[in-house]
Amino acid sequence: MMTHTSPAIVFYRAHCQAAGPAPCLAAAVSDRQQRRLTLPMPSNAFFWTFLLKTMASSKSLILFERVLTFELPQWLVDALILGATAQLAGHFHFNSAMTTTAPIHSVLLYFCCALGVLTFSKLNLYTAWQDWSMAALFSRLACAWGAILLAGYLLSVMVHGVGALSRRWLVYWYLTSLAFLALHRLLIHASACHLRKRGINTRRIVIVGYGPIGQEMHKRALRNAAAVYDVRAVVAAGETLDQQHDAAIDHIASYDAIHHYVVTHDIHEIWITLPMSAALQMKQLQHCLRNTLVDIRWVPDTSGIQMLSSLAVNFLGIPAVELNRPAPSGAHAIVKHLLDKLFALAALTLLAPLLAVIAACIKYSSPGPVFFKQARLGLNGKKFMVYKFRTMKLHQEHNRLTQATQNDPRITRIGQFLRRTSLDELPQFLNVLIGDMSVIGPRPHALEHNEHYEKLLEIYMVRHRVKPGITGWAQIHGHRGETDTIDKMEKRVQFDLYYIQHWSFLMDFRILVWTAFKGWTGSAAY
């Protein structure tokens, strides 16, 4: 009967042979004796030799690196960091153990630790170092941990323990724990970079299709020093091979040759980045790869399609791609809607005296109403009436809408000041309160302008997939005021689409702060 000799026995035999004939007596034992053999406790030199030789094997280093990236060990480390830093902050602030403080501190400790590891996992903070920059990872970590402690503070309010809670201890805990959490991820990132430089734990890749998406995937694989992907070959048509100048990258001539290359070069993954129009090639490729036993990823090249999103979802049990879904959707859209109303209500309350002064100045400067109302397109093209302070004299438009120009004689003296400082937009907080607009979003254009530019710009109307805003990403980048050329409108629309595609609460906050300090005025506003 065949028996299995353990690696420890094999290594021990080799060690004995190197040491001389006496230790080699252990090598003469039979298989049955092997199973009964109890190895003596090795000396320190032997133990470290065994450990180093074991860790020197590539498979062991791959396993070690993968253990570093598994979520469960990182959960435990994060939990230990949060618990230990809470105790450290307690010793620093209270000069005593946490057990001697008010019970609310221990409640917050357990609550925030549990919520922390779950939230970090949900936000992909355990594996995102392969895809994000460290600055982006640390900023998201800081925001997430701050939100968790804020939730803990609200919990203390609900259980009537906020009176006994030390806010200074909470701040100390936040700062110390954030520092150690960041250090933890920095060590993981440094370890992954070191292992990759040694050629350990790299996944060898073949890219099929070297169009815009294939080239972008290749760049991203090279950009991150901690990423584990090593592109070894590409399969591309002649016109796209000119984009690949790296002599270390092999060129596979045909789909039929892919399987042989994968087997002979120990490839781990195949990335398919063919364009959407290559349906026939996909069927041929599927046949050629039917016996190829590696991971295959399909990254559709959608560069030829002007779309708002490319989120893959499971729809009625079938994989589908969302092409026109804006980033602020679902629960995020509901939260944004509620925050908009709260902010609008606070703004109208605080700015009420200023609004009254502006209204009086308008009435004094020229006859006519205080407010100017005009139809605009809102969410999904629904019409609504936008409110502004009137900045022009009463006049009659002749079958077309004329944009305001520099030194426009129709603009009143107070109107020039209001338009230059964007104070004429303040009544739109009423639109936000009603629900037709958002505080942050693409600026609403006149209906005549929509009808004009939707024929000239293919993606113009997509900007109406979200609520229009009082200020937006385009405005803080200087794209405001008159759009007397198509290029100006196209640039503004590009910024609007970037906002819709990359929206986040942090992005809204940045726009709001930027608007408060420098976004109200500009040379293009008149």
Side-chain angles (χ1 to χ4, degrees):
M1 182 178 67
M2 297 291 294
T3 59
H4 175 70
T5 304
S6 68
I9 294 293
V10 174
F11 184 83
Y12 188 67
R13 285 177 177 172
H15 173 72
C16 290
Q17 290 171 0
C24 286
L25 293 175
V29 296
S30 65
D31 289 341
R32 181 176 298 177
Q33 288 172 321
Q34 282 182 23
R35 292 193 295 271
R36 296 177 181 176
L37 178 64
T38 302
L39 292 177
M41 183 65 68
S43 64
N44 286 339
F46 173 72
F47 173 75
W48 287 111
T49 302
F50 175 77
L51 179 63
L52 290 174
K53 287 191 174 184
T54 303
M55 291 302 296
S57 67
S58 61
K59 290 184 177 180
S60 298
L61 282 171
I62 290 173
L63 178 63
F64 174 70
E65 201 276 340
R66 286 179 179 172
V67 166
L68 281 177
T69 60
F70 282 165
E71 287 195 15
L72 182 57
Q74 293 189 69
W75 279 21
L76 297 177
V77 174
D78 275 358
L80 289 174
I81 288 175
L82 297 179
T85 51
Q87 297 287 347
L88 182 64
H91 279 287
F92 181 76
H93 179 57
F94 300 112
N95 293 322
S96 62
M98 292 289 294
T99 54
T100 62
T101 62
I104 188 62
H105 296 92
S106 297
V107 171
L108 254 64
L109 191 157
Y110 294 120
F111 173 78
C112 292
C113 285
L115 185 61
V117 294
L118 293 175
T119 303
F120 294 164
S121 176
K122 188 69 175 177
L123 294 177
N124 198 27
L125 292 176
Y126 291 118
T127 56
W129 52 267
Q130 294 187 9
D131 304 313
W132 301 343
S133 66
M134 295 307 294
L137 179 62
F138 291 157
S139 62
R140 178 166 288 201
L141 180 66
C143 292
W145 182 229
I148 291 166
L149 289 185
L150 179 60
Y153 181 80
L154 295 177
L155 174 68
S156 68
V157 173
M158 290 188 291
V159 298
H160 304 291
V162 69
L165 176 65
S166 171
R167 295 163 183 78
R168 183 173 295 180
W169 167 79
L170 208 59
V171 172
Y172 290 161
W173 186 21
Y174 173 77
L175 296 176
T176 54
S177 58
L178 185 61
F180 280 97
L181 289 172
L183 179 62
H184 172 210
R185 280 150 182 81
L186 192 62
L187 290 175
I188 292 176
H189 185 270
S191 301
C193 292
H194 176 70
L195 291 173
R196 184 177 181 183
K197 287 179 181 178
R198 294 186 56 186
I200 304 301
N201 195 41
T202 54
R203 294 184 65 81
R204 290 173 285 279
I205 308 298
V206 169
I207 298 179
V208 181
Y210 207 65
I213 294 298
Q215 296 169 33
E216 180 63 25
M217 293 294 293
H218 192 181
K219 290 178 183 177
R220 294 191 181 195
L222 296 173
R223 190 179 303 156
N224 195 335
V228 297
Y229 303 115
D230 180 17
V231 177
R232 292 297 183 88
V234 297
V235 187
E239 60 271 12
T240 57
L241 284 179
D242 297 337
Q243 304 296 327
Q244 212 306 104
H245 305 289
D246 191 346
I249 306 297
D250 296 329
H251 298 157
I252 302 176
S254 65
Y255 293 160
D256 294 330
I258 297 177
H259 177 75
H260 181 263
Y261 186 92
V262 168
V263 173
T264 56
H265 291 79
D266 194 21
I267 298 299
H268 297 101
E269 293 186 20
I270 297 174
W271 296 350
I272 301 174
T273 61
L274 293 173
M276 301 287 286
S277 58
L280 294 178
Q281 297 181 45
M282 285 293 296
K283 295 189 68 174
Q284 179 189 354
L285 185 60
Q286 181 186 10
H287 178 76
C288 294
L289 299 180
R290 66 191 186 281
N291 298 324
T292 306
L293 306 180
V294 296
D295 293 339
I296 299 177
R297 301 176 189 269
W298 179 37
V299 186
D301 185 350
T302 56
S303 57
I305 303 176
Q306 294 282 2
M307 60 185 188
L308 200 58
S309 63
S310 56
L311 178 65
V313 297
N314 188 303
F315 181 68
L316 299 178
I318 299 176
V321 179
E322 298 278 5
L323 299 180
N324 209 33
R325 178 179 290 271
S329 58
H332 288 152
I334 296 174
V335 175
K336 179 176 170 66
H337 175 75
L338 295 175
L339 291 177
D340 280 337
K341 286 185 174 292
L342 290 174
F343 189 89
L345 183 61
L348 290 172
T349 303
L350 295 174
L351 297 175
L354 175 62
L355 299 177
V357 171
I358 294 175
C361 292
I362 293 173
K363 290 297 290 184
Y364 177 78
S365 65
S366 64
V370 171
F371 295 111
F372 169 74
K373 296 189 297 182
Q374 194 176 50
R376 295 285 194 270
L377 291 185
L379 179 63
N380 296 328
K382 181 182 177 182
K383 289 184 180 181
F384 73 98
M385 299 302 294
V386 68
Y387 294 97
K388 292 186 177 185
F389 280 126
R390 182 174 58 85
T391 58
M392 291 185 176
K393 302 171 185 176
L394 293 180
H395 63 280
Q396 183 68 38
E397 294 284 357
H398 300 287
N399 300 324
R400 63 185 299 269
L401 182 69
T402 305
Q403 274 191 307
T405 59
Q406 195 166 15
N407 301 320
D408 195 317
R410 298 172 299 171
I411 301 176
T412 63
R413 293 181 62 183
I414 184 63
Q416 290 178 352
F417 172 76
L418 295 178
R419 295 175 75 94
R420 190 168 57 250
T421 57
S422 297
L423 292 176
D424 61 322
E425 313 285 359
L426 290 180
Q428 290 169 30
F429 281 115
L430 291 172
N431 290 111
V432 176
L433 202 59
I434 294 170
D436 293 329
M437 291 181 62
S438 176
V439 177
I440 311 294
R443 289 292 297 145
H445 297 157
L447 299 185
E448 290 82 354
H449 296 158
N450 290 333
E451 293 172 359
H452 175 68
Y453 287 110
E454 70 176 349
K455 301 172 184 176
L456 301 176
L457 302 175
E458 290 186 0
I459 55 175
Y460 177 83
M461 292 302 291
V462 179
R463 63 196 299 276
H464 296 100
R465 284 289 289 150
V466 297
K467 288 182 180 180
I470 298 176
T471 185
W473 187 248
Q475 283 64 49
I476 64 172
H477 285 88
H479 299 285
R480 57 198 303 264
E482 184 183 8
T483 51
D484 52 348
T485 65
I486 296 178
D487 290 339
K488 287 184 178 181
M489 180 59 78
E490 185 177 16
K491 201 70 176 177
R492 181 183 294 188
V493 171
Q494 288 176 356
F495 275 86
D496 289 339
L497 293 185
Y498 181 88
Y499 168 79
I500 297 173
Q501 292 170 331
H502 299 86
W503 171 88
S504 67
F505 287 113
L506 181 60
M507 191 176 189
D508 273 359
F509 181 74
R510 287 175 57 193
I511 295 172
L512 198 62
V513 172
W514 203 336
T515 301
F517 285 99
K518 59 177 293 187
W520 290 103
T521 61
S523 58
Y526 42 79

